[in-house]
Amino acid sequence: MNRVSQSGFSLVELSIVLVIVGTLAASAVIPLSSSVRQARYKQTDGQLESIREAMHGYLASNGKLPCPVEIESDIAVNTDESNVCSRAFGGVPAVAIGVMGERGANGVLLDRWGRPIYYAVSMTDSEASGTRGYPDWLSVGEPSSVGAGNLTADLQLCRSTASKACARRNLVANQIVWVIYSLGERDDNKGLQAENQDDDNVFTISAYSMNAEQPFDDQIIWASRSEVVYWLLKANWLP
């Protein structure tokens, strides 16, 4: 008498199949996640370079730099100011400088993670010339009144954290007029990244790191005093 064969999987065989499928799915997700992450960093790099060009264009057209946008506000503010700019830290004013991209409710430009792109600017105000109370880089006519020889900047770029000023051995650049940066995928307020979130005049730059205690994935651009003076001279805003 022939016994009828039965087809199907045993529990052991089914378990093995599920493990294999899970492993294959996980191996596909990890490269995809990494690819998306790298694409966002690359896109943000492109954003920052577009912002650099737009900042030079704004400077050449207006003879001064734009005022940062107040990030905490939910209301769009006209930063193409008739009033004196008194804000040293904030977001990139997308409308004022004419940069395309996703924006917050207040007009601040967002990076590829949907966070504000930050903008810090030197608030130096020459005592020797110009009008006191009007920041030299942010006020119409001030660069010309102050003169190229008296224009200074007080932002610094450092390889380490610093409470007030960067130690000489860690200094990357000083006499910086503006710094613009994205906090990247991780905006942890720890390690070197914390230096870019404390609203002082020192900013830090480092190699990419996903170390839990010392993370760093900020993307930063900046303009030196000599670079900004060059564009002012080129556009005939300085004698």
Side-chain angles (χ1 to χ4, degrees), residues 38-52:
Q38 292 304 316
R40 288 181 176 175
Y41 282 119
K42 187 174 182 179
Q43 290 164 357
T44 300
D45 276 337
Q47 278 186 296
L48 293 176
E49 288 309 311
S50 294
I51 292 168
R52 182 192 298 279

Side-chain angles (χ1 to χ4, degrees), residues 40-115:
R40 288 181 176 175
Y41 282 119
K42 187 174 182 179
Q43 290 164 357
T44 300
D45 276 337
Q47 278 186 296
L48 293 176
E49 288 309 311
S50 294
I51 292 168
R52 182 192 298 279
E53 293 179 11
M55 291 287 284
H56 291 332
Y58 184 97
L59 181 70
S61 297
N62 297 276
K64 65 179 184 64
L65 294 170
C67 193
V69 170
E70 185 178 357
I71 289 177
E72 301 301 324
S73 173
D74 292 328
I75 302 172
V77 178
N78 180 12
T79 60
D80 204 6
E81 53 287 302
S82 55
N83 299 323
V84 177
C85 178
S86 58
R87 189 178 302 114
F89 305 97
V92 171
V95 175
I97 66 175
V99 174
M100 300 295 291
E102 186 180 356
R103 302 170 184 173
N106 56 353
V108 65
L109 191 65
L110 304 180
D111 63 17
R112 295 308 185 192
W113 283 271
R115 299 194 188 99

Side-chain angles (χ1 to χ4, degrees), residues 91-197:
V92 171
V95 175
I97 66 175
V99 174
M100 300 295 291
E102 186 180 356
R103 302 170 184 173
N106 56 353
V108 65
L109 191 65
L110 304 180
D111 63 17
R112 295 308 185 192
W113 283 271
R115 299 194 188 99
I117 296 181
Y118 291 86
Y119 167 36
V121 61
S122 174
M123 298 293 286
T124 50
D125 185 3
S126 175
E127 296 182 1
S129 51
T131 304
R132 292 292 291 157
Y134 286 75
D136 297 341
W137 303 105
L138 293 160
S139 308
V140 176
E142 279 300 285
S144 178
S145 297
V146 172
N150 293 320
L151 285 168
T152 60
D154 58 4
L155 304 186
Q156 295 183 323
L157 196 63
C158 195
R159 294 188 186 89
S160 66
T161 57
S163 57
K164 292 183 179 180
C166 182
R168 190 176 186 86
R169 66 181 180 278
N170 294 320
L171 187 65
V172 176
N174 60 5
Q175 287 284 319
I176 294 174
V177 179
W178 57 255
V179 176
I180 291 174
Y181 55 100
S182 160
L183 295 179
E185 181 184 26
R186 295 184 58 175
D187 60 348
D188 310 57
N189 189 9
K190 61 171 61 174
L192 293 177
Q193 290 189 163
E195 188 59 66
N196 294 333
Q197 301 179 47

Side-chain angles (χ1 to χ4, degrees), residues 194-207:
E195 188 59 66
N196 294 333
Q197 301 179 47
D198 60 1
D199 292 350
D200 66 9
N201 287 3
V202 180
F203 298 85
T204 191
I205 189 168
S206 178

